[in-house]
Amino acid sequence: MARIKPQALLIQSKKKKGPTRISVTTIVLCNLVVVLIVLSLFATYRHWSRRSLNNIGTGLPNHEETDGLDDSKKYDLPGFAILNTSKGYITVELFKDGSPEIVDRFLDLCQKGHFKGMTFSHVIKHYVIHGGDSQGLGAAEEWTSKGKLRGQLITSPKHEAFMLGTSKSKQDSKGFELFITTAPIPDLNDKLIVFGRVIKGEDVVQEIEEVDTDEHYRPKARIGIINVALKREI
């Protein structure tokens, strides 16, 4: 075999390609990308950590989530009640936004059958129908004693006829009275919490209003609510 001369070996070694070098710019850019990724992950971790701590401290979701749940709850609640009375059906629209706490309590009592068999204990013609406590008129008695003075007061939309309300004075008790107005009552909001209005069955309300009563406004014949059906839509 022929020997390769040292000079030829030197030339061949120079011709061999060396390893590819990475530029400084590329190294700097890669490091910046890594730093940005790490900072992003750290910021995300801090955000969710604080959110978890806030939820544990309050026992509730954040404000936006709470509002969303409240709105969803209101939407799911029945918005109408159909009173099946011994004179016919009375359909009531409930003021879920205007009186949410009272509507919630009313719906809860409906589901528990509280109004099943409730009698209209007092009927004041051209004034109000009262269902519930038969021991006294309560708010209705005080209104009646004012006589014509109530006609001199300024009215508002909630003072119209066929409004559904409950007594303010009975909110601390287990009872729940129902009042359906049959005429505009100027000082209605002073005595009742209005939480609905009759949208169908006004003729039934008027028929109940026409029943015979004694001197204490108690119907001579028993009349009342047979049951209550709740509806989301009518």
Side-chain angles (χ1 to χ4, degrees):
M1 291 180 62
R3 291 184 179 181
I4 300 175
K5 296 181 179 180
Q7 187 176 2
L9 289 172
L10 181 60
I11 294 172
Q12 287 180 4
S13 65
K14 288 182 178 181
K15 288 182 179 180
K16 290 182 180 180
K17 295 181 179 180
T20 304
R21 293 183 179 180
I22 301 174
S23 66
V24 176
T25 303
T26 303
I27 295 173
V28 171
L29 289 175
C30 290
N31 288 335
L32 285 175
V33 170
V34 172
V35 170
L36 289 174
I37 292 173
V38 171
L39 289 176
S40 177
L41 292 174
F42 180 71
T44 303
Y45 171 77
R46 288 190 63 185
H47 169 74
W48 285 103
S49 296
R50 289 179 179 177
R51 187 173 179 180
S52 299
L53 288 174
N54 289 337
N55 290 348
I56 293 172
T58 60
L60 293 171
N62 62 34
H63 185 67
E64 288 108 0
E65 290 179 344
T66 303
D67 289 344
L69 290 173
D70 289 342
D71 292 341
S72 176
K73 182 181 177 182
K74 287 181 182 179
Y75 179 78
D76 290 338
L77 288 176
F80 302 89
I82 301 176
L83 310 182
N84 180 13
T85 75
S86 47
K87 291 292 185 179
Y89 293 94
I90 301 172
T91 302
V92 177
E93 178 185 7
L94 303 175
F95 298 155
K96 294 190 292 183
D97 293 328
S99 305
E101 293 182 0
I102 299 301
V103 170
D104 284 348
R105 187 179 176 199
F106 173 76
L107 294 175
D108 181 60
L109 291 173
C110 285
Q111 293 173 346
K112 292 178 179 178
H114 176 79
F115 302 104
K116 186 175 182 179
M118 174 181 280
T119 59
F120 290 112
S121 52
H122 300 91
V123 176
I124 305 175
K125 192 172 182 180
H126 304 309
Y127 200 51
V128 70
I129 295 171
H130 171 218
D133 183 15
S134 61
Q135 299 302 316
L137 275 170
E141 185 175 31
E142 187 176 345
W143 290 335
T144 305
S145 66
K146 290 184 178 181
K148 296 182 180 180
L149 289 177
R150 63 178 180 269
Q152 301 174 6
L153 301 177
I154 300 174
T155 61
S156 74
K158 281 191 176 182
H159 300 150
E160 298 174 357
F162 305 112
M163 305 304 291
L164 176 68
T166 187
S167 175
K168 287 184 176 181
S169 62
K170 294 296 180 83
Q171 289 310 299
D172 296 332
S173 65
K174 294 182 179 180
F176 193 100
E177 297 176 282
L178 291 180
F179 290 86
I180 301 177
T181 63
T182 60
I185 302 177
D187 56 347
L188 180 61
N189 287 345
D190 294 338
K191 307 292 180 263
L192 294 186
I193 300 175
V194 177
F195 65 95
R197 66 185 179 92
V198 176
I199 59 172
K200 187 178 180 181
E202 292 91 339
D203 56 329
V204 177
V205 175
Q206 292 172 335
E207 188 174 351
I208 296 173
E209 182 186 29
E210 294 295 329
V211 300
D212 292 333
T213 62
D214 60 19
E215 65 273 18
H216 299 293
Y217 307 104
R218 292 191 294 258
K220 293 181 179 180
R222 190 179 186 279
I223 183 170
I225 299 172
I226 299 172
N227 55 51
V228 180
L230 301 176
K231 301 287 184 180
R232 285 190 174 86
E233 297 179 355
I234 295 295

